[in-house]
């Protein structure tokens, strides 16, 4: 596959705000607009000069169904700039970037605003099917007698709410929650509870260090209508040690499972946006690219082991670009679950598994010193629609801070898929 140059001009993300059993202070649209407004204000072009707006969102609210179009209009692109929304579960934000890449490579677009958003704290609470059927019966009742009969048929059990987010995180084909698919991987590769908790603690430790070093300079602070400011990710915890994490109970497969809330990604609200440009747009607007998308790949696999998606997606990129597993200077693998990331490392290092599933020899063991060097979704959070864009953006920022060149961002996808992007930093360390 031959890529024409597709440049990353700039990027920004909101703080990732942990869901706390109630709707958060921002809708998905608010998150994307505040992030996008700040990003566009830094550019030498105006919003109407964009070719299109592409936004990934896994759980748009009913009043923001095509949230990509809403974002464009609220940012002032005008009526003529099209905006649309993509959905590839956890990789929706990465899919938006890839859609922008394809539009630029085919010559249909020159300047694209792309990324992802989700406000998972606003995920709907639904009526049960029984209650919906009862409401239909009630709606048809016209006489007093018919309504009394309908009222007598109403059961309190019908009022039990259905958590929309939990339904969305359960695979309808294999009937497993995402956490149960991670349990499958832990069993297959012998990953222990201690392994998971140590990896989770590492995520919090590295994120805290990155915050102290101002390593998340891509974050745009948010302000709500009450004047409250949200300057940084709020889910990271100083007390997330292996010892404390070990006390948490399994969530997805009790009592014998090992996946807990502590070694899983957090349910979060957040947005991440990037500006992509063709070579022609770079020259026309005198832009200064900070990076380049070198290659991208999507892959499918068994939904019951969906966490191995990064292995299936990133390996072909490595092969096409003649890179060893540790050839990229940095890796970002979205931390859906600690077990899932550890299983990816184990799979690449397993000769039998690689021969059976990849048709090649094992690639070796991924260097932990190159992986998620500023922490990951276990500490930062996983707003599903935004995470694929976040890991691409932060991988590039982390490369630039370290004066490194090549990075790989990879993500597992509910439903049994994987996505990966190889990116290149085009400048040295930022001042």
């Amino acid at each position: 596959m031959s890529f024409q140059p597709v440049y990353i001009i700039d990027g920004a993300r909101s703080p990732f705000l942990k869901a706390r059993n109630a709707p958060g202070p921002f809708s998905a649209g608010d998150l994307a607009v505040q992030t996008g407004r700040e990003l566009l204000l830094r550019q030498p072009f105006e919003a109407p000069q964009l070719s299109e707006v592409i936004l990934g969102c896994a759980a748009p609210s009913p009043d923001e169904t095509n949230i990509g179009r809403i974002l464009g209009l609220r940012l002032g692109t005008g009526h003529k700039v099209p905006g649309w929304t993509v959905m590839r579960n956890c990789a929706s934000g990465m899919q938006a970037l890839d859609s922008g890449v394809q539009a630029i490579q085919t010559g249909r677009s020159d300047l694209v605003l792309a990324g992802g958003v989700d406000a998972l704290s606003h995920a709907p609470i639904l009526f049960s099917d029984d209650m919906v059927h009862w409401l239909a019966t009630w709606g048809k009742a016209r006489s007093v007698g018919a309504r009394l009969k309908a009222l007598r048929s109403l059961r309190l059990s019908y009022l039990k709410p259905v958590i929309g987010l939990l339904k969305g995180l359960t695979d309808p084909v294999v009937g497993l929650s995402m956490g149960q698919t991670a349990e499958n991987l832990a069993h297959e590769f012998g990953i222990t509870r201690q392994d998971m908790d140590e990896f989770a603690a590492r995520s919090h430790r590295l994120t805290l260090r990155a915050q102290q070093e101002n390593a998340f300079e891509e974050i745009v602070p948010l302000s709500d209508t009450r004047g409250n400011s949200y300057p940084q990710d709020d889910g990271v915890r100083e007390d997330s040690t292996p010892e404390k994490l070990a006390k948490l109970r399994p969530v997805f497969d009790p009592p014998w499972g090992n996946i807990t809330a502590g070694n899983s990604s957090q349910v979060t609200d957040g947005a991440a946006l990037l500006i992509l440009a063709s070579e022609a747009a770079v020259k026309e607007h005198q832009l200064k690219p900070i990076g380049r998308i070198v290659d991208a790949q999507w892959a499918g696999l068994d939904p019951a082991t969906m966490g191995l998606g990064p292995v299936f997606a990133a390996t072909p990129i490595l092969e096409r670009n003649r890179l060893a597993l540790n050839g990229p200077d940095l890796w970002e693998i979205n931390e859906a679950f600690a077990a899932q990331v550890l299983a990816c490392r184990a799979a690449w290092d397993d000769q039998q598994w690689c021969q059976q599933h990849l048709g090649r020899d094992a690639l070796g063991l991924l260097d932990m010193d190159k992986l998620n060097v500023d922490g990951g979704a276990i500490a930062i959070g996983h707003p599903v629609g935004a995470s694929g864009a976040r890991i691409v953006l932060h991988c590039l920022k982390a490369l630039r801070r370290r004066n490194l060149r090549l990075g790989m961002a990879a993500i597992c996808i509910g439903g049994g898929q994987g996505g990966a992007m190889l990116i290149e930093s085009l400048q040295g360390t930022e001042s």
Side-chain angles (χ1 to χ4, degrees):
M1 179 171 58
S2 178
F3 262 48
Q4 296 299 315
V6 176
Y7 296 102
I8 300 173
I9 304 305
D10 200 353
R13 74 170 175 91
S14 74
F16 281 11
L17 305 179
K18 185 175 181 179
R20 303 183 188 277
N21 299 316
F26 304 101
S27 70
D30 292 335
L31 291 164
V33 170
Q34 287 202 42
T35 303
R37 184 181 294 125
E38 175 67 24
L39 178 59
L40 289 179
L41 283 172
R42 302 200 294 247
Q43 309 312 316
F45 56 83
E46 301 296 328
Q49 293 177 282
L50 289 166
S51 302
E52 59 184 320
V53 176
I54 311 173
L55 196 60
C57 188
S61 65
D63 59 338
E64 294 180 336
T65 305
N66 186 6
I67 192 170
R69 176 60 168 167
I70 294 168
L71 172 62
L73 292 174
R74 290 177 66 184
L75 288 178
T77 60
H79 295 167
K80 293 183 179 180
V81 178
W84 52 295
T85 307
V86 299
M87 199 293 210
R88 200 194 278 255
N89 281 343
C90 308
S92 297
M94 186 179 285
Q95 177 61 69
L97 297 178
D98 193 39
S99 296
V101 167
Q102 293 178 56
I104 290 171
Q105 292 211 320
T106 57
R108 290 184 288 118
S109 293
D110 283 307
L111 198 56
V112 177
L113 177 65
V117 66
D118 257 318
L120 297 182
S121 70
H122 291 256
I125 296 176
L126 310 172
F127 283 126
S128 67
D129 288 344
D130 287 334
M131 187 63 188
V132 172
H133 287 303
W134 184 87
L135 287 170
T137 300
W138 176 260
K140 294 176 183 177
R142 294 291 181 264
S143 67
V144 174
R147 293 198 170 190
L148 288 173
K149 182 179 179 181
L151 285 172
R152 284 195 295 269
S153 70
L154 179 62
R155 301 289 180 268
L156 284 177
S157 61
Y158 295 177
L159 298 174
K160 182 179 180 180
V162 177
I163 308 301
L165 183 61
L166 294 181
K167 287 183 71 71
L169 295 177
T170 300
D171 190 283
V173 176
V174 294
L176 299 175
S177 70
M178 296 300 99
Q180 288 172 317
T181 69
E183 292 282 12
N184 287 345
L185 296 180
H187 176 75
E188 179 177 355
F189 292 98
I191 298 166
T192 67
R193 171 67 182 273
Q194 183 177 354
D195 295 333
M196 300 177 204
D197 289 343
E198 288 178 351
F199 184 86
R202 171 188 185 267
S203 185
H204 284 274
R205 184 174 67 253
L206 293 179
T207 300
L208 283 167
R209 186 184 71 184
Q211 287 182 342
Q212 293 164 1
E213 296 175 352
N214 296 316
F216 296 123
E217 59 90 25
E218 66 265 33
I219 292 178
V220 172
L222 300 174
S223 297
D224 65 20
T225 55
R226 298 181 178 181
N228 299 311
S229 179
Y230 303 82
Q232 62 184 7
D233 308 319
D234 68 356
V236 61
R237 296 173 60 102
E238 294 183 5
D239 61 350
S240 286
T241 63
E243 295 75 22
K244 289 196 174 182
L245 291 169
K247 298 176 182 180
L248 298 177
R249 296 180 179 180
V251 174
F252 300 99
D253 195 15
W256 311 114
N258 291 301
I259 310 297
T260 70
N263 56 42
S264 306
S265 58
Q266 301 178 33
V267 178
T268 319
D269 300 347
L273 298 171
L274 291 85
I275 295 173
L276 306 179
S278 66
E279 194 163 7
V282 168
K283 293 177 180 178
E284 178 184 353
H285 299 289
Q286 298 182 332
L287 304 175
K288 297 179 179 179
I290 60 174
R292 182 170 71 93
I293 296 178
V294 179
D295 205 346
Q297 180 70 45
W298 301 100
L301 64 151
D302 183 353
T305 56
M306 68 92 198
L308 295 175
V311 178
F312 286 93
T315 301
I317 295 179
L318 295 172
E319 292 173 341
R320 281 197 296 266
N321 293 274
R322 299 182 180 180
L323 291 169
L325 182 64
N326 288 304
D329 297 302
L330 294 177
W331 278 79
E332 284 282 332
I333 297 179
N334 191 56
E335 296 172 357
F337 303 93
Q340 164 260 321
V341 180
L342 294 173
C344 288
R345 293 185 75 237
W348 270 313
D349 196 40
D350 188 313
Q351 178 73 2
Q352 182 177 352
W353 189 93
C354 286
Q355 288 181 339
Q356 179 181 351
H357 295 279
L358 302 178
R360 56 158 296 159
D361 289 338
L363 286 80
L365 196 59
L366 180 59
D367 187 349
M368 288 290 286
D369 289 337
K370 295 187 172 190
L371 174 62
N372 296 0
V373 292
D374 293 321
I378 289 174
I380 295 171
H382 181 19
V384 174
S387 291
R390 182 196 74 81
I391 61 174
V392 171
L393 176 59
H394 189 69
C395 190
L396 179 56
K397 294 292 185 177
L399 288 169
R400 290 166 60 78
R401 289 187 73 247
R402 293 162 177 80
N403 202 21
L404 300 173
R405 189 173 72 89
L406 279 181
M408 184 79 80
I411 191 166
C412 64
I413 306 168
Q417 297 186 80
M421 281 189 167
L422 183 66
I423 57 176
E424 178 184 14
S425 174
L426 295 183
Q427 299 178 20
T429 305
E430 293 177 303
S431 59

